[in-house]
Amino acid sequence: MVDYHATNNQQSSPGGGQTYMEHPDEWDRDLLLDPAWERQQRKTFTAWCNSHLRKSGTQINNIEEDFRDGLKLMLLLEVISGERLPKPERGKMRVHKINNVNKALDFIASKGVKLVSIGAEEIVDGNAKMTLGMIWTIILRFAIQDISVEETSAKEGLLLWCQRKTAPYKNVNVQNFHISWKDGLALCALIHRHRPDLIDYSKLRKDDPVGNLNTAFEVAEKYLDIPKMLDAEDIVNTPKPDEKAIMTYVSCFYHAFAGAEQAETAANRICKVLAVNQENEKLMEEYEKLASELLEWIRRTIPWLENRVAEQTMRAMQQKLEDFRDYRRVHKPPRVQEKCQLEINFNTLQTKLRLSNRPAFMPSEGRMVSDINNAWGGLEHAEKGYEEWLLNEIRRLERLDHLAEKFRQKATIHEAWTEGNEAILTKKDYETATLSDIKALLRKHEAFESDLAAHQDRVEQIAAIAQELNELDYYDSPSVNARCEKICNQWDVLGSLTQSRREALERTEKQLESIDELYLEYAKRAAPFNNWMEGAMEDLQDMFIVHTVEETQSLISAHEQFKATLPEADSERQAILGIHNEVQKIAQSYGVSLSIINPYSTISAEEIRAKWDKVKQLVPQRDQALQEEAARQHSNERLRRQFASQANVIGPWIQNKMQEIGHSSVEMSGPLEDQMNQLKQYEHVIVAYKPNIDKLEGDHQMIQESLIFDNKHTNYTMEHIRVGWELLLTTIARTMNEIETQILTRDAKGISQEQMNEFRSSFNHFDRKKKSGMETDDFRACLISMGYDLGEVEFARIMTLVDPNGTGVVSFQSFIDFMTRETADTDTADQVVASFRILAADKPYILVDELRRELPPEQAEYCIMRMPAYTGPGQQPGALDYTCFSTALYGESDL
């Protein structure tokens, strides 16, 4: 027998020797040796042809007769290839049939199949062997040749696929395409592997091959749309079933199940891509919400901090200070954490988008991280100096209250002193007075002038206090000014009246001579002593305000010095009273009628006694007040020292931790997980240190409540500690986020720990200023050292990738992204489009029912809601454009 078919692309099996198609001589020999094979091939090839021809509404009954005119043969080739053949000739003559068959054979040859000794005449003449050979050639080319499993194809690929799928099943050992299939278990195993719902494999028996085969044939025909191509009895009763018939039938299972696996793979890819997209959208929504809430809080808080309108009372200002402390302790710390978490979420989201090949996330207008940082800077600017302003206002109000009370005391004493003086100075008593009376009036007037001069300082003090109250913007300045003006006007009147009366008395003095020396001496000594007592009483009742132990001790020392003068004053008092007693004694001795009031003085002995008793009463009261103030200042000093002892420890501790974290971020090596664990240990130490900060806050609150405004024992203020603590928390959080980002990058891009360490070593070497970022020239030197041949254009392109904002600094994360960008294995828009095309059966659009059939419900609805309508060729109602949707996922187009 002469060769009648061969292929031009025979491939050797991995073991060498046997090809995927037998030599044609073997075909003829086999047919001659075993006619049963010819029957099996007739039935199998006829069923295989009909499984394709029924798609065009026709079929064949006799394989060598029905292909003789070439019409159904050409139709079969069009169905299985999906291509159009030349128009057939419809004539009934032999030449027409030969021409049609030649068109079919030419088409087969155009697909790379070399036909030997198969001529159109044999087919037209109904040569069964040639016809079967031609159909087998078609089956090999269009059903088996394209099968590829790993690196094998055609027959070996189909055999390897069967072995892989049936390996887990007992009593199944597929080694060939003849006797391995006789018991039917291999076919049942193939069906059960892909559709376990169709066959209960556990109930099959190896000793029932006919039942197993019929079960497989019936299930395949009913549920898998694979026609029955074999007879169970023929297979069982034939020592070696026909290999070509078995291969033809098994190839139908491969195409049926391979398509389902391909659709499943495509669906899984789409699910994966959509899941990533949904997660990213959720992170974007959370970022927008958190950013809006934080910006709204900042917007509400800044006007409150910028309000520098002072209250008029100490209580109101202290309430403002308490509100500010609540803001720093209660309201602001959570917002600091929110801001830090917002930056971390933003960086994590951008990293995930970059790793999944998605476009970068751009928050809505006004909600960028830079916008939040600018708003936060405005908050910090408004907050800066607010507490200092509050404390200054409290000091001012405290001093105002002190000055106002001092003004009232001095004004009351002065007004009491001036009461009735105008009437005395305007009296005309000297006109009817005797000489002694005149002299007495003159001396009395001299004493008044002395007293008036002594009160000049008090009036100046009253005016100075009123002026200071006006300069400090005292809320009740109008009443103070009115009272001060009244005192000053009255003082001017007294000065004028005093001068007028002196002139009148001096005119009268020449006419009057006699004066009582003792009264005169009494008046001269009583007036300054009286002034001294009044001054002493004023000083003993004077309010004081001190802030240190030294100032208190100074007041106590001055008071002790005053008490040391009391014996001398008591001697003077006794001397003055002795003069008064001597006058009374002389008057009694000589029977002189005396006036009750000393003509030379308005100060009586009873008044001196009363004022002296008042002075003696005020001295111990002053002692007690000074001792209480000393105790309070000692308590304040203890608070200062207590605060300083803690602040001097906490401040350096925070600085040291900041330096340790800064060094660790540059010098750490080893696995990123170890670095993260080390940073978590730092974080644990920092969190555990928080009670020390809280205790210091408590001490600081006691200091402020005690109105302590300075502390010479430390250079650290509570504001320094707070700012340092917040900076420490932010630094450790940002450093940990950087390591987390590096881990994400390493895991997503398959970077080994050694590569990561090498990247870190190169980065640290060229980070010459140790600021966690390489400058442009340093980065260029780093690339050159790694073998990059850089021109200006290429380097400019690289800089746009690693420094898109043009800051002139390349961060470590950007450096890692650049080093791994070329080798990243991520999904692309083209891959997603190809996956959707598989689900759509090669259509340029996809239907809603197909999405709901192939994808999980949630992700199918996600696609339906976002996928635009298809408007291209072949449009159908409800068709969706999966190409536009896929490219939009990766930022390559807009929906």
Side-chain angles (χ1 to χ4, degrees):
M1 178 69 67
V2 182
D3 288 350
Y4 59 85
H5 74 284
T7 60
N8 66 345
N9 57 348
Q10 293 178 348
Q11 301 176 8
S12 297
S13 64
Q18 185 167 346
T19 61
Y20 79 94
M21 286 196 331
E22 296 85 345
H23 194 275
D25 288 342
E26 297 177 3
W27 171 280
D28 292 341
R29 261 196 320 275
D30 292 341
L31 291 180
L32 292 174
L33 292 174
D34 193 351
W37 285 10
E38 182 178 344
R39 292 195 304 274
Q40 292 178 10
Q41 288 178 12
R42 283 177 182 273
K43 180 176 180 64
T44 301
F45 291 178
T46 300
W48 184 85
C49 292
N50 285 334
S51 69
H52 294 286
L53 287 172
R54 68 184 179 183
K55 298 175 183 178
S56 296
T58 186
Q59 65 178 14
I60 62 173
N61 296 317
N62 189 308
I63 194 166
E64 63 267 24
E65 292 295 330
D66 292 347
F67 284 142
R68 291 178 63 183
D69 60 1
L71 295 176
K72 290 187 178 180
L73 179 59
M74 294 179 70
L75 181 61
L76 173 65
L77 291 173
E78 286 185 344
V79 171
I80 63 178
S81 68
E83 301 180 19
R84 298 289 295 177
L85 271 68
K87 186 176 180 181
E89 298 180 10
R90 296 295 180 180
K92 301 296 185 179
M93 300 176 65
R94 177 180 175 82
V95 66
H96 296 142
K97 296 178 182 180
I98 291 175
N99 289 339
N100 288 339
V101 173
N102 277 328
K103 291 177 181 180
L105 296 178
D106 290 342
F107 178 79
I108 295 173
S110 71
K111 296 303 179 181
V113 179
K114 185 177 181 180
L115 298 172
V116 180
S117 298
I118 295 181
E121 292 79 2
E122 286 86 351
I123 305 302
V124 172
D125 292 338
N127 188 317
K129 295 179 181 179
M130 290 295 182
T131 303
L132 291 174
M134 179 190 65
I135 297 302
W136 174 240
T137 301
I138 294 172
I139 292 172
L140 279 175
R141 174 60 183 85
F142 293 99
I144 298 177
Q145 180 176 324
D146 292 335
I147 294 175
S148 178
V149 178
E150 295 185 355
E151 296 181 357
T152 61
S153 60
K155 177 181 177 181
E156 287 74 17
L158 182 60
L159 182 62
L160 180 59
W161 179 78
C162 295
Q163 291 171 341
R164 291 283 179 83
K165 295 300 181 180
T166 61
Y169 294 88
K170 65 180 181 178
N171 297 325
V172 177
N173 183 16
V174 177
Q175 297 297 326
N176 48 56
F177 286 108
H178 36 79
I179 61 176
S180 295
W181 304 85
K182 288 188 65 174
D183 59 7
L185 292 177
L187 286 173
C188 291
L190 277 180
I191 297 173
H192 184 269
R193 179 65 180 269
H194 296 89
R195 292 291 302 274
D197 57 312
L198 300 181
I199 292 179
D200 186 353
Y201 188 83
S202 62
K203 294 182 178 180
L204 301 178
R205 293 183 297 109
K206 187 174 180 63
D207 58 359
D208 184 17
V210 175
N212 297 338
L213 288 168
N214 285 329
T215 297
F217 296 157
E218 293 169 2
V219 169
E221 186 173 27
K222 182 176 181 181
Y223 297 103
L224 304 180
D225 199 25
I226 299 175
K228 184 177 180 181
M229 300 181 182
L230 302 168
D231 285 328
E233 290 78 6
D234 290 346
I235 295 175
V236 173
N237 296 328
T238 302
K240 182 181 179 182
D242 180 56
E243 186 177 51
K244 299 173 180 61
I246 298 295
M247 285 179 63
T248 301
Y249 188 58
V250 172
S251 69
C252 295
F253 285 90
Y254 173 84
H255 290 294
F257 293 137
E261 289 179 350
Q262 191 178 23
E264 180 180 359
T265 301
N268 289 336
R269 178 182 292 275
I270 293 173
C271 291
K272 176 184 174 184
V273 171
L274 296 180
V276 170
N277 217 58
Q278 288 173 309
E279 181 183 0
N280 291 340
E281 288 183 357
K282 182 178 179 182
L283 290 175
M284 294 175 190
E285 293 173 359
E286 291 176 355
Y287 173 88
E288 291 283 346
K289 178 182 178 183
L290 189 58
S292 298
E293 292 175 354
L294 183 58
L295 288 170
E296 177 61 19
W297 178 81
I298 293 174
R299 185 191 65 77
R300 294 197 313 268
T301 305
I302 287 179
W304 176 68
L305 292 172
E306 291 178 342
N307 180 17
R308 302 297 170 88
V309 178
E311 301 293 339
Q312 295 182 349
T313 64
M314 177 75 77
R315 180 183 296 276
M317 287 304 296
Q318 287 177 336
Q319 182 58 47
K320 273 197 169 186
L321 179 61
E322 183 63 29
D323 293 341
F324 181 74
R325 282 200 294 261
D326 287 342
Y327 159 79
R328 291 304 302 268
R329 291 196 308 263
V330 178
H331 302 294
K332 185 181 178 184
R335 300 298 179 177
V336 172
Q337 184 63 31
E338 287 179 7
K339 176 178 176 292
C340 181
Q341 189 61 44
L342 192 68
E343 294 178 358
I344 292 173
N345 290 351
F346 182 83
N347 292 335
T348 302
L349 175 58
Q350 296 294 44
T351 299
K352 288 185 176 181
L353 290 172
R354 184 171 60 255
L355 295 178
S356 60
N357 204 21
R358 301 300 199 278
F361 169 53
M362 291 296 294
S364 57
E365 184 177 0
R367 294 183 176 87
M368 295 287 292
V369 172
S370 59
D371 297 326
I372 294 172
N373 287 332
N374 291 336
W376 191 265
L379 177 72
E380 297 281 3
H381 180 74
E383 181 182 319
K384 183 178 181 182
Y386 184 74
E387 184 177 22
E388 182 179 356
W389 173 78
L390 288 174
L391 296 176
N392 288 337
E393 282 299 315
I394 290 175
R395 288 195 195 97
R396 186 181 69 83
L397 289 177
E398 182 185 30
R399 175 152 183 80
L400 282 175
D401 290 345
H402 170 70
L403 290 175
E405 182 61 25
K406 192 171 185 178
F407 174 86
R408 285 190 290 270
Q409 284 188 3
K410 288 185 177 294
T412 300
I413 293 173
H414 178 78
E415 288 168 348
W417 177 83
T418 58
E419 185 177 0
N421 283 339
E422 286 188 33
I424 293 174
L425 293 173
T426 57
K427 286 176 63 176
K428 304 293 185 178
D429 53 341
Y430 54 86
E431 294 180 350
T432 58
T434 61
L435 181 58
S436 59
D437 292 334
I438 290 300
K439 289 186 177 292
L441 289 175
L442 186 58
R443 301 299 181 269
K444 182 178 180 180
H445 188 69
E446 290 175 352
F448 177 78
E449 286 182 328
S450 176
D451 202 8
L452 185 67
H455 279 77
Q456 175 69 35
D457 183 60
R458 181 179 291 124
V459 173
E460 291 176 356
Q461 291 178 3
I462 291 173
I465 293 172
Q467 178 64 27
E468 188 172 358
L469 288 172
N470 279 284
E471 291 174 354
L472 294 176
D473 196 23
Y474 182 56
Y475 75 96
D476 198 21
S477 293
S479 63
V480 170
N481 292 336
R483 191 171 185 182
C484 180
E485 184 179 4
K486 180 180 178 182
I487 290 173
C488 292
N489 292 337
Q490 188 182 37
W491 183 257
D492 293 338
V493 172
L494 286 177
S496 177
L497 291 176
T498 299
Q499 182 63 29
S500 299
R501 184 171 178 79
R502 165 167 279 284
E503 293 173 356
L505 289 174
E506 286 178 347
R507 287 194 304 268
T508 309
E509 184 184 20
K510 298 178 180 179
Q511 303 171 4
L512 303 173
E513 289 185 330
S514 179
I515 191 168
D516 192 331
E517 292 295 333
L518 292 174
Y519 269 148
L520 182 58
E521 184 179 359
Y522 173 91
K524 288 182 178 181
R525 298 180 69 171
F529 184 72
N530 182 65
N531 284 335
W532 177 86
M533 288 193 296
E534 288 183 350
M537 288 188 293
E538 182 177 346
D539 291 339
L540 290 171
Q541 297 179 85
D542 188 22
M543 295 182 63
F544 54 86
I545 178 170
V546 293
H547 297 96
T548 65
V549 174
E550 290 76 12
E551 292 176 357
T552 307
Q553 192 61 42
S554 177
L555 290 177
I556 293 175
S557 299
H559 184 61
E560 292 299 327
Q561 292 176 4
F562 168 77
K563 290 196 294 184
T565 64
L566 289 179
E568 181 181 354
D570 187 49
S571 298
E572 180 66 11
R573 179 188 65 83
Q574 292 178 5
I576 293 171
L577 293 178
I579 294 172
H580 176 73
N581 293 335
E582 184 66 19
V583 169
Q584 296 298 324
K585 184 178 179 181
I586 293 173
Q588 291 176 3
S589 299
Y590 296 96
V592 176
S593 177
L594 297 174
S595 174
I596 297 176
I597 300 175
N598 188 326
Y600 302 113
S601 176
T602 60
I603 303 169
S604 65
E606 290 74 20
E607 186 176 355
I608 290 175
R609 294 189 186 98
K611 289 183 178 180
W612 178 256
D613 292 338
K614 181 66 173 177
V615 170
K616 290 173 67 178
Q617 179 184 356
L618 291 174
V619 168
Q621 294 178 1
R622 184 73 168 185
D623 281 333
Q624 181 179 356
L626 289 174
Q627 292 302 322
E628 291 175 353
E629 182 62 27
R632 189 175 76 87
Q633 290 303 325
H634 280 294
S635 175
N636 290 350
E637 185 65 10
R638 284 193 299 274
L639 289 176
R640 289 189 183 95
R641 292 181 182 275
Q642 181 177 332
F643 177 88
S645 65
Q646 296 183 74
N648 290 335
V649 173
I650 293 175
W653 185 90
I654 291 175
Q655 293 173 354
N656 291 337
K657 291 302 175 187
M658 286 290 294
Q659 293 174 358
E660 291 176 9
I661 294 172
H663 290 161
S664 68
S665 65
V666 175
E667 300 173 359
M668 277 195 302
S669 61
L672 293 177
E673 286 77 8
D674 293 346
Q675 297 179 28
M676 177 60 72
N677 291 334
Q678 183 178 352
L679 289 175
K680 287 183 178 179
Q681 291 175 3
Y682 276 123
E683 183 184 40
H684 178 73
V685 171
I686 291 170
V687 172
Y689 202 76
K690 183 64 166 57
N692 296 319
I693 304 298
D694 295 338
K695 186 176 186 304
L696 191 64
E697 284 281 7
D699 292 343
H700 181 251
Q701 180 176 350
M702 289 191 294
I703 283 177
Q704 289 189 332
E705 290 172 352
S706 300
L707 301 180
I708 300 173
F709 305 110
D710 55 10
N711 192 338
K712 64 182 180 180
H713 303 296
T714 181
N715 293 326
Y716 292 99
T717 66
M718 196 62 227
E719 182 63 21
H720 292 152
I721 300 299
R722 290 183 189 127
V723 172
W725 181 253
E726 292 172 0
L727 182 58
L728 179 61
L729 292 177
T730 302
T731 299
I732 188 65
R734 286 176 177 168
T735 305
M736 292 176 68
N737 177 249
E738 179 182 344
I739 299 300
E740 289 175 350
T741 302
Q742 293 176 23
I743 292 174
L744 281 174
T745 303
R746 181 199 66 190
D747 295 341
K749 299 188 176 182
I751 304 173
S752 67
Q753 185 60 50
E754 289 75 14
Q755 289 175 308
M756 186 63 73
N757 292 339
E758 182 180 352
F759 290 159
R760 171 56 77 179
S761 176
S762 299
F763 184 88
N764 290 343
H765 176 74
F766 287 94
D767 180 15
R768 306 185 191 281
K769 295 186 178 180
K770 305 305 178 185
K771 294 183 178 179
S772 299
M774 288 188 288
E775 296 182 353
T776 303
D777 292 339
D778 295 335
F779 181 60
R780 183 196 296 271
C782 179
L783 292 180
I784 292 173
S785 72
M786 298 174 71
Y788 281 80
D789 185 12
L790 296 176
E792 290 299 324
V793 175
E794 176 62 12
F795 183 72
R797 183 191 69 81
I798 293 175
M799 284 303 297
T800 60
L801 296 177
V802 299
D803 183 23
N805 296 325
T807 61
V809 176
V810 179
S811 67
F812 181 63
Q813 184 59 44
S814 297
F815 177 70
I816 291 179
D817 289 343
F818 169 75
M819 296 304 298
T820 59
R821 191 185 309 276
E822 300 287 332
T823 60
D825 183 15
T826 58
D827 294 315
T828 65
D830 291 339
Q831 291 175 328
V832 177
V833 170
S835 298
F836 272 116
R837 185 175 293 112
I838 292 172
L839 298 187
D842 286 332
K843 298 191 297 295
Y845 56 84
I846 193 167
L847 301 176
V848 172
D849 292 339
E850 293 173 330
L851 285 172
R852 287 175 173 160
R853 182 179 69 244
E854 301 294 346
L855 298 180
E858 179 182 357
Q859 296 182 331
E861 295 303 320
Y862 179 87
C863 293
I864 293 169
M865 292 295 294
R866 289 164 172 77
M867 199 173 287
Y870 175 74
T871 58
Q875 176 183 0
Q876 290 188 10
L880 301 177
D881 190 345
Y882 59 77
T883 302
C884 182
F885 173 77
S886 300
T887 55
L889 286 179
Y890 291 86
E892 298 177 6
S893 66
D894 295 326
L895 285 177

